[in-house]
Amino acid sequence: MLTGKEIVVTGGTGSLGKVLVRRLLSGEMGLPKQITVFSRDEAKQHSMRLAFEHLRTATDEVIYHNFERLLQFRIGDVRDMHSVSTVLRDAQVVFNAAALKQVPSCEYFPYEAVQTNINGAENIIRAISEGGLGVETVVGVSTDKACKPVNVMGMTKAIQERLFVRANLDLPGTRFICVRYGNVLASRGSVIPLFHEQIRRGGPLTITTADMTRFLLSLEQAVDTIFAALKEAGRGETYIPRVPAAKVTDIANALIGNQKIETIVTGIRPGEKVHEILVSEEEAYRTLERGIYYVIQPMLPELIAAAKAERPIGREYSSADDVMSTNEVVDLLSRHKLMVGDRFVYEEDMLA
């Protein structure tokens, strides 16, 4: 699908962006003409450039033979209309991975989240509209926290989803679609690296509440979801991976194993939910099963496709619904080499 295309990844130096760029360079979706990583952090861009230059076995040698032509880095900010308009000038496919995503940070600095998560999305839409740009597809990356949001991060991401869905009415030449997924295994700031560090120090492990559950998926599965949406999604549709969920206490117990390490309950942080939801009860009646994904049809009637044979799932999809046992959690963490004693590597650093 992406052969000969010019691609822009906003927030391309983040956790998702790194793995997405690596997968794009692999040619599995076709060999693009150019991939532009667009972000405001020059230090991360420098590190990422060096990593991709040195890890030539990460992708086809043919691709890396033309590395300078294929992969470019551009400093800019989705908050700035001018820089967005400039970077999208020749783009045909845009992956919007730029986000403020740490829940407590967004609670303490809510307008900063608005500027990146909402105004950034609107700038992409305006740049395409006002510049008459030939962008074919925009993929908005969202989060389970956007579903029935109770925190600023989720609220701003929910608005981003609605902005992109609505944009399909104004820009019939561009397909705007979204993906929504939960917690990523071993990404920076997630619970597993925290538990590893606390175990190395001899404890205690801090748990916000004993009942908390979370969806768990790898960044590779997140990118799989993006590619599935890119291939199959209709205008305004939102793709959601069907992935396992676990109690945070079971994750802690799986990592502790037979060690004598105390766990303490510290209370829910600002903006946290006990359980996460990927499809709300209200959305369930316009949500279909499509292979290993759930697909939320757009709310706007002008964008709903003709009557389909599929029946809607008709029920909420919550992390509390089908929780793995402790043994299943151990198996999942072992398969991803995330148990204590494994050589721990952050998911986004797995470029090879």
Side-chain angles (χ1 to χ4, degrees):
M1 287 188 68
L2 298 179
T3 298
K5 304 288 187 184
E6 297 205 19
I7 297 168
V8 172
V9 183
T10 70
T13 53
S15 300
L16 176 70
K18 288 182 179 179
V19 177
L20 175 58
V21 168
R22 190 253 296 164
R23 294 275 296 271
L24 291 168
L25 283 170
S26 75
E28 66 180 272
M29 294 288 286
L31 181 60
K33 179 181 178 182
Q34 188 170 91
I35 301 167
T36 299
V37 172
F38 178 74
S39 74
R40 61 185 181 180
D41 193 321
E42 61 180 347
K44 286 183 180 178
Q45 286 195 13
H46 178 67
S47 297
M48 186 173 173
R49 182 188 293 109
L50 290 179
F52 277 105
E53 286 177 345
H54 294 157
L55 294 176
R56 292 176 180 266
T57 56
T59 63
D60 243 329
E61 290 183 5
V62 175
I63 293 175
Y64 270 104
H65 181 68
N66 298 308
F67 177 86
E68 293 80 5
R69 176 179 66 85
L70 273 175
L71 186 58
Q72 291 194 354
F73 293 84
R74 180 181 288 271
I75 297 291
D77 197 330
V78 291
R79 300 176 176 202
D80 179 62
M81 180 65 180
H82 175 74
S83 60
V84 172
S85 298
T86 302
V87 77
L88 298 188
R89 185 170 50 208
D90 299 315
Q92 286 143 335
V93 178
V94 179
F95 299 98
N96 185 40
L100 256 64
K101 60 184 181 179
Q102 293 292 330
V103 169
S105 296
C106 293
E107 290 301 308
Y108 284 106
F109 305 101
Y111 188 61
E112 298 301 316
V114 168
Q115 290 192 82
T116 298
N117 299 347
I118 296 178
N119 294 347
E122 178 65 12
N123 282 340
I124 291 171
I125 297 166
R126 283 184 56 204
I128 296 170
S129 175
E130 296 176 9
L133 305 182
V135 176
E136 298 168 3
T137 299
V138 175
V139 183
V141 178
S142 190
T143 168
D144 51 7
K145 294 166 183 61
C147 189
K148 286 191 171 179
V150 300
N151 51 53
V152 171
M153 192 274 210
M155 292 171 187
T156 54
K157 281 293 195 175
I159 296 297
Q160 176 185 280
E161 289 183 7
R162 298 298 175 87
L163 285 170
F164 281 145
V165 170
R166 173 63 177 81
N168 285 287
L169 297 182
D170 295 329
L171 295 165
T174 304
R175 175 182 59 145
F176 292 85
I177 56 179
C178 294
V179 298
R180 184 194 287 177
Y181 57 83
N183 289 47
V184 173
L185 288 165
S187 61
R188 295 178 196 275
S190 65
V191 70
I192 292 174
L194 171 65
F195 284 168
H196 272 254
E197 180 62 27
Q198 290 175 336
I199 289 170
R200 278 195 293 269
R201 295 180 179 180
L205 263 67
T206 54
I207 297 170
T208 54
T209 177
D211 297 324
M212 183 173 285
T213 61
R214 288 294 182 265
F215 291 107
L216 299 177
L217 82 164
S218 68
L219 275 169
E220 300 291 350
Q221 288 174 298
V223 175
D224 288 342
T225 306
I226 290 171
F227 285 173
L230 188 66
K231 287 187 283 189
E232 303 167 6
R235 297 160 62 79
E237 290 186 336
T238 300
Y239 263 61
I240 292 165
R242 294 158 65 184
V243 293
K247 291 183 71 172
V248 175
T249 51
D250 286 338
I251 296 173
N253 291 332
L255 292 173
I256 291 170
N258 296 323
Q259 301 177 74
K260 293 186 177 180
I261 293 178
E262 180 188 8
T263 61
I264 58 174
V265 176
T266 59
I268 292 180
R269 298 183 301 171
E272 276 190 325
K273 286 183 179 180
V274 176
H275 307 296
E276 295 287 7
I277 305 169
L278 276 169
V279 179
S280 70
E281 184 179 358
E282 293 76 18
E283 292 170 325
Y285 294 96
R286 49 187 172 89
T287 300
L288 312 171
E289 290 188 28
R290 194 172 293 168
I292 60 173
Y293 301 98
Y294 287 136
V295 180
I296 303 176
Q297 301 288 291
M299 181 182 293
L300 302 177
E302 297 91 339
L303 296 174
I304 297 175
K308 297 178 179 291
E310 303 106 310
R311 294 179 59 186
I313 62 173
R315 56 181 169 75
E316 184 177 84
Y317 180 37
S318 166
S319 61
D321 290 342
D322 189 16
V323 176
M324 292 185 289
S325 67
T326 303
N327 288 338
E328 289 172 323
V329 174
V330 169
D331 180 63
L332 177 69
L333 298 180
S334 298
R335 281 189 280 115
H336 286 276
K337 301 190 185 312
L338 293 175
M339 294 296 289
V340 174
D342 292 333
R343 191 178 74 85
F344 182 78
V345 180
Y346 286 108
E347 176 94 31
E348 62 264 37
D349 289 337
M350 300 176 187
L351 297 180

